[in-house]
Amino acid sequence: LRRINAPHGSGTAMTFLALAHALRGDRDEALANGRAAAPHIQRMQDVAPTLLPIALVHARHHAEYRAAGLLGYVDHSFAIAGRVPFPMMVKIREEIVTRAKSALGLQEFDRLLATGAGLTEEQALAVAFDNIPKLDEPGD
């Protein structure tokens, strides 16, 4: 796609690479591909499906607060768009929930989920890819 300068498809391809690396446990590669996919995806659609595998990476690598916040953003984006996640996405979500609840506790998990639901797309991208020390309430 890059070689032929295709205007579409690169973001989706990089999202699938991010997903594959996330599932394999390749943190750096998943983050790099997710970050590279985001600008392409933003031109065509919501980035929520791209951020779900990134949330998995954070859940597996001791950044559960990021994972919970991103999951809140993804859940909210899917709900307002009326999207139904496909089965693999459901399994990924279940793993994120299990890991994040275990690490954070139910109350903090629920707070971060609600906070994530209030994020803008740019804020969600910052949570996914920037060095965020904690996830505060939106507007704090």
Side-chain angles (χ1 to χ4, degrees), residues 30-70:
L31 293 174
N33 281 289
R35 182 187 296 271
H40 297 281
I41 296 295
Q42 284 180 294
R43 288 185 215 140
M44 304 293 292
Q45 63 194 39
D46 179 34
V47 298
T50 301
L51 295 181
L52 189 63
I54 302 305
L56 177 64
V57 168
H58 291 308
R60 288 181 173 180
H61 294 275
H62 309 294
E64 292 87 354
Y65 67 97
R66 286 182 192 242
L70 288 173

Side-chain angles (χ1 to χ4, degrees), residues 75-88:
D75 285 352
H76 181 72
S77 293
F78 270 61
I80 62 174
R83 277 193 203 127
V84 177
F86 55 88
M88 182 171 46

Side-chain angles (χ1 to χ4, degrees), residues 58-114:
H58 291 308
R60 288 181 173 180
H61 294 275
H62 309 294
E64 292 87 354
Y65 67 97
R66 286 182 192 242
L70 288 173
L71 188 59
Y73 175 80
V74 170
D75 285 352
H76 181 72
S77 293
F78 270 61
I80 62 174
R83 277 193 203 127
V84 177
F86 55 88
M88 182 171 46
M89 293 176 87
V90 172
K91 296 295 267 179
I92 290 169
R93 186 187 188 285
E94 289 170 356
E95 182 178 339
I96 294 166
V97 168
T98 299
R99 287 175 179 273
K101 278 184 181 178
S102 175
L104 300 167
L106 182 59
Q107 185 175 2
E108 183 65 358
F109 172 79
D110 286 344
R111 182 190 76 77
L112 290 165
L113 202 65

Side-chain angles (χ1 to χ4, degrees), residues 17-31 53 56-61 95 99:
L17 282 171
L19 173 61
H21 286 294
L23 292 172
R24 281 181 30 163
D26 301 332
R27 180 186 179 276
D28 294 339
E29 293 86 353
L31 293 174
L56 177 64
V57 168
H58 291 308
R60 288 181 173 180
H61 294 275
E95 182 178 339
R99 287 175 179 273

